[in-house]
Amino acid sequence: QVQLLASGGGLVQAGGSLRLSCAASGRTFSSYAMGWFRQAPGKEREFVAASSWSGGNTYYADSVKGRFTISRDNAKNTVYLQMNSLKPEDTAVYYCAADRAWGRSRWYSGNLEVWGQGTLVTVSS
C-alpha cells in the first residue's frame, strides 16, 4: 500500500494560482488511481478531481471544472493539482487519496483505500 504526502498549500489572492503535489511512497504508484478532496471549515469533505492509473481519464467536480487540472507523473510517483482562477470559496484543507479501483461512483463517494494528510489552501478576497 502506498503512503501519501501532500504539499504546496498556502495563501493566495483571489484570481491567483497554486499547484498542489502529492508524493507517494512505494513501487506500485501506477497501480493506483489518484485524486484530491477538500474540506472547508464547517463543511463536509467533497470530491475535487481524480485521475486514472495512466492519467488518461479524469473526473472533476463541477465547481472546479475549467479552473483546476489534475495530472500525474508515474516516474516521480507524484500527482498534481493545478489550481487557477482561485476563489475564496476554494479555501479548504486539500487531501490526496489513492485507490486501486477506478470509477465515478467510487471516487465521488470518497470511500477510498489510502489518504494523505491535508494541506491548507487559503484564498483571500
Side-chain angles (χ1 to χ4, degrees):
Q1 196 176 54
V2 295
Q3 291 184 318
L4 306 176
L5 182 63
S7 62
L11 174 64
V12 63
Q13 287 189 329
S17 297
L18 212 55
R19 188 176 81 157
L20 305 183
S21 300
C22 178
S25 64
R27 293 179 287 180
T28 59
F29 179 73
S30 60
S31 299
Y32 286 82
M34 300 293 298
W36 293 91
F37 287 72
R38 67 187 181 186
Q39 186 166 20
K43 294 189 176 181
E44 293 188 354
R45 184 181 63 195
E46 64 174 358
F47 170 80
V48 175
S51 167
S52 62
W53 311 278
S54 67
N57 291 289
T58 56
Y59 299 135
Y60 292 95
D62 288 342
S63 58
V64 307
K65 208 170 288 185
R67 299 188 299 122
F68 290 12
T69 302
I70 187 170
S71 62
R72 63 188 294 163
D73 186 339
N74 285 350
K76 295 183 178 180
N77 282 12
T78 302
V79 63
Y80 305 98
L81 185 68
Q82 178 67 43
M83 305 185 294
N84 298 330
S85 302
L86 282 161
K87 305 175 181 179
E89 51 263 43
D90 294 318
T91 294
V93 177
Y94 283 70
Y95 298 90
C96 58
D99 197 285
R100 281 169 286 191
W102 178 245
R104 187 181 299 273
S105 60
R106 185 174 184 92
W107 273 90
Y108 276 56
S109 75
N111 184 21
L112 303 168
E113 292 180 73
V114 186
W115 290 87
Q117 98 296 352
T119 185
L120 176 62
V121 173
T122 303
V123 184
S124 64
S125 57

